[in-house]
Amino acid sequence: MITLSDRVKHTPAWQTELATVITDPAELLRRLRLDQALLPAARHAARLFPLRAPLSYVARMKPGDPDDPLLRQVLPLHIECEDAPGFIADPVGDLDAMPVPGLLHKYHGRVLLIATAACAVHCRFCFRRHFPYGNARPSGDSWRLALDYIAADHSIGEVILSGGDPLSLNDRRLSELVSRIEAINHVQRLRIHTRQPVVLPARVDDMLLGWLDETRLRKIFVVHVNHANELDAAVAGALNRLKSVEVTLLNQCVLLRGVNDSVAALRGLSEALFKAGVLPYYLHLLDRVQGAAHFDVSAARGLELIGDLSDSLPGYLVPRLVTERAGDSAKRWIS
């Protein structure tokens, strides 16, 4: 059994990998043998929202292909610096739904806790790329305010950990937070929104599995996979280890132009997810965040794709097409 003292003596592999992610556009272009003419624009866009991509994720990209679907999700482009009508800093109204710092209460029966600002990967379409984490992220005693709020509202049966990526926290801090949540009797479910098992599969280690296995809460991981090429053997192994401690695995995908806006890409993704033990859950229309307009796909095209998927896949492999609008009491199902 791995003890806390063992963890202190030996840095977990995932933390070592997290410390060596690619943050320089020049290095990303060099590793993938891409045209260095892309560099000035990439560096300019990265000043607005930094590049961040783990080596294990970059290794799944096709060298020499500027249109690789994984590369498109992380490579800064000049178009991000252009203003687009209707694309704003807070497209889903997070800041207006925050009763205490770091806690979002939008929907009945569940709340979302901003556990950290850190992510292993920076997705260029991230709807929180402009989020003011310094003012809104709970830490230390600030978690007490959020937990007191949850304890006082007996309608809350589910707590969602988000960020950033909550699995960027080390296991000591994360397990302490979860212990405080599970001490609130009316909370029954813990949902973790994370990209780490996909972009950094080493994160699913014995320490993580140990405290997950011990919690009384029902555990749901909503992972974020947008293309079948993201699911290699290491990722499948990490997902299988989560299932071994009774974690329910769901996937949220974002419909992205040039990444997965075809029937073939979405069908391949659903089949690859199910093979890895993950149920396709949501296909999100893009949250209209400033800097991401070049990824936008219309609702009409999304409906067309879902219709074609329904013709070729069983219903349980067809995700719901949804959008989130500021002020709504739930995600809006488009049908």
Side-chain angles (χ1 to χ4, degrees), residues 136-291:
R137 184 181 74 251
S139 60
D141 286 344
S142 295
W143 267 337
R144 178 181 55 79
L145 296 176
L147 294 168
D148 286 349
Y149 180 94
I150 296 167
D153 187 340
H154 287 252
S155 72
I156 297 171
E158 178 171 304
V159 174
I160 303 165
L161 300 185
S162 184
D165 193 313
L167 293 190
S168 297
L169 295 175
N170 65 45
D171 286 299
R172 179 185 59 79
R173 292 191 64 204
L174 195 52
S175 62
E176 285 178 358
L177 174 59
V178 171
S179 293
R180 294 171 71 180
I181 293 170
E182 69 179 352
I184 302 172
N185 291 333
H186 56 263
V187 176
Q188 298 299 312
R189 296 183 302 278
L190 174 72
R191 194 194 324 174
I192 295 180
H193 286 190
T194 178
R195 194 117 153 89
Q196 294 246 31
V198 178
V199 302
L200 195 73
R203 179 63 184 94
V204 183
D205 60 11
D206 290 342
M207 287 293 295
L208 174 65
L209 296 171
W211 66 260
L212 281 172
D213 195 32
E214 293 173 358
T215 181
R216 69 162 180 86
L217 300 170
R218 296 297 299 269
K219 305 171 290 285
I220 306 100
F221 271 45
V222 180
V223 296
H224 182 174
V225 187
N226 295 313
H227 196 278
N229 290 1
E230 296 179 79
L231 293 165
D232 65 4
V235 175
L239 296 171
N240 188 59
R241 296 192 79 194
L242 288 170
K243 288 180 71 69
S244 74
V245 292
E246 299 184 341
V247 173
T248 298
L249 295 174
L250 305 173
N251 185 61
Q252 291 191 108
C253 169
V254 180
L255 183 57
L256 300 167
R257 185 194 305 172
V259 174
N260 57 17
D261 56 333
S262 70
V263 175
L266 290 174
R267 182 171 56 236
L269 173 59
S270 283
E271 291 175 339
L273 285 167
F274 194 70
K275 184 177 180 180
V278 183
L279 196 64
Y281 178 40
Y282 281 155
L283 175 62
H284 270 275
L285 294 182
L286 181 74
D287 292 320
R288 297 169 71 83
V289 66
Q290 185 179 9

Side-chain angles (χ1 to χ4, degrees), residues 40-151:
R43 280 186 166 157
H44 182 59
R47 284 196 289 270
L48 300 178
F49 184 47
L51 165 68
R52 191 170 179 83
L55 294 174
S56 63
Y57 189 69
V58 173
R60 298 169 228 168
M61 300 174 187
K62 182 179 178 181
D65 183 3
D67 295 320
D68 180 90
L70 278 60
L71 174 67
R72 283 187 60 82
Q73 296 180 58
V74 302
L75 178 64
L77 298 173
H78 69 89
I79 198 169
E80 298 176 34
C81 306
E82 300 175 3
D83 289 332
F87 284 77
I88 60 177
D90 183 18
V92 297
D94 277 352
L95 295 179
D96 290 334
M98 192 177 300
V100 298
L103 186 81
L104 306 182
H105 195 178
K106 294 183 179 183
Y107 307 148
H108 177 76
R110 52 207 185 275
V111 294
L112 185 148
L113 187 62
I114 303 289
T116 178
C119 274
V121 65
H122 283 177
C123 303
R124 308 312 299 177
F125 50 88
C126 179
F127 70 99
R128 290 202 181 112
R129 57 184 286 167
H130 304 292
F131 191 79
Y133 287 103
N135 298 325
R137 184 181 74 251
S139 60
D141 286 344
S142 295
W143 267 337
R144 178 181 55 79
L145 296 176
L147 294 168
D148 286 349
Y149 180 94
I150 296 167

